């Protein structure tokens, strides 16, 4: 699993911009996000049948186009096997939009509830770290909670983006 030689890959300016806008990734996190993607991705298909050097890899609902000869990330985009609303009648879309908005609102409330506990844990871990700054254990616990919060926020944003993509 994962792309070979991920440390060699460079991110094109185009790919960096697309990752920022399509997946709401801050500019400072694009490289980390891309490397995480590359380490988890699996081969999806060749860009075209005649050219093996341009390949598409997939991880969850994201596709990334790579030049595997030059080690360049060309672009990334969401993968939706249902092709979004492919052929849905505008009247049906009109009917389901309120339900989709309710799902988004419910996800935001669920995120808030999940973060309430995690933020309290973060506060306690930070306090312990402040009192014992030379102790690796407290720093580790603090960092672990930050990672959990970040992952939970990313998961929530992905759910919301997936719901929004249904009606594009």
């Amino acid at each position: 699993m994962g792309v070979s030689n991920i440390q060699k890959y460079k991110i094109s300016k185009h790919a960096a911009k697309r990752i920022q806008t399509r997946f709401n990734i801050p500019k400072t996190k694009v490289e980390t996000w891309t490397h995480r993607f590359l380490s988890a991705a699996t081969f999806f298909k060749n860009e075209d049948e005649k050219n093996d050097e341009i390949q598409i890899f997939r991880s969850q609902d994201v596709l990334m186009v790579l030049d595997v000869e030059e080690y360049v990330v060309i672009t990334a985009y969401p993968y939706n096997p249902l092709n979004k609303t492919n052929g849905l009648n505008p009247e049906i879309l009109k009917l389901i939009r309120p339900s989709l908005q309710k799902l988004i609102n419910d996800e935001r409330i669920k995120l808030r509830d999940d973060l309430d506990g995690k933020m309290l844990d973060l506060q306690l871990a930070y306090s312990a770290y402040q009192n014992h700054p030379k102790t690796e254990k407290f720093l580790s616990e603090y960092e672990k909670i930050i990672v959990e919060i970040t992952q939970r926020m990313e998961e929530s944003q992905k759910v919301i983006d997936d719901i929004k993509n249904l009606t594009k």
Side-chain angles (χ1 to χ4, degrees):
M1 191 175 223
V3 177
S4 300
N5 299 311
I6 63 173
Q7 70 280 2
K8 292 183 179 181
Y9 278 87
K10 302 291 183 229
I11 305 166
S12 69
K13 287 183 181 181
H14 172 81
K17 188 69 176 161
R18 294 300 170 258
I19 290 167
Q20 289 172 348
T21 57
R22 292 176 177 159
F23 305 104
N24 199 27
I25 305 298
K27 189 176 188 175
T28 58
K29 304 281 185 193
V30 168
E31 188 171 335
T32 304
W33 185 90
T34 302
H35 284 352
R36 189 180 306 147
F37 173 92
L38 293 173
S39 65
T42 55
F43 177 78
F44 185 68
K45 67 179 186 173
N46 287 329
E47 177 70 10
D48 64 50
E49 296 165 11
K50 299 172 188 162
N51 186 356
D52 286 345
E53 112 183 14
I54 306 297
Q55 297 180 356
I56 301 173
F57 285 79
R58 177 179 172 207
S59 179
Q60 297 179 4
D61 292 333
V62 176
L63 296 177
M64 194 172 282
V65 181
L66 305 176
D67 181 333
V68 294
E69 297 290 319
E70 298 294 323
Y71 298 104
V72 175
V73 176
I74 298 170
T75 193
Y77 52 90
Y79 172 64
N80 185 342
L82 302 176
N83 197 17
K84 297 183 180 167
T85 58
N86 188 22
L88 277 183
N89 181 313
E91 291 300 315
I92 292 173
L93 285 175
K94 192 182 206 181
L95 291 172
I96 66 171
R97 274 196 177 103
S99 297
L100 295 176
Q101 188 56 52
K102 182 183 179 327
L103 289 172
I104 290 171
N105 293 341
D106 290 349
E107 177 60 29
R108 287 181 177 150
I109 290 169
K110 184 178 171 190
L111 173 65
R112 181 207 60 204
D113 293 346
D114 289 350
L115 290 182
D116 278 347
K118 291 187 186 302
M119 294 304 282
L120 184 59
D121 291 345
L122 182 66
Q123 220 172 4
L124 294 171
Y126 183 67
S127 181
Y129 174 61
Q130 274 184 316
N131 293 332
H132 306 282
K134 294 180 181 178
T135 306
E136 187 71 30
K137 175 186 168 197
F138 294 120
L139 177 60
S140 263
E141 288 175 15
Y142 179 66
E143 290 172 336
K144 179 183 168 206
I145 295 168
I146 290 173
V147 168
E148 289 173 5
I149 289 170
T150 303
Q151 286 174 340
R152 179 60 184 98
M153 291 178 73
E154 287 173 354
E155 289 169 9
S156 182
Q157 188 60 50
K158 178 153 180 15
V159 167
I160 290 169
D161 289 345
D162 287 347
I163 293 168
K164 286 179 178 178
N165 283 335
L166 287 173
T167 59
K168 285 185 180 176

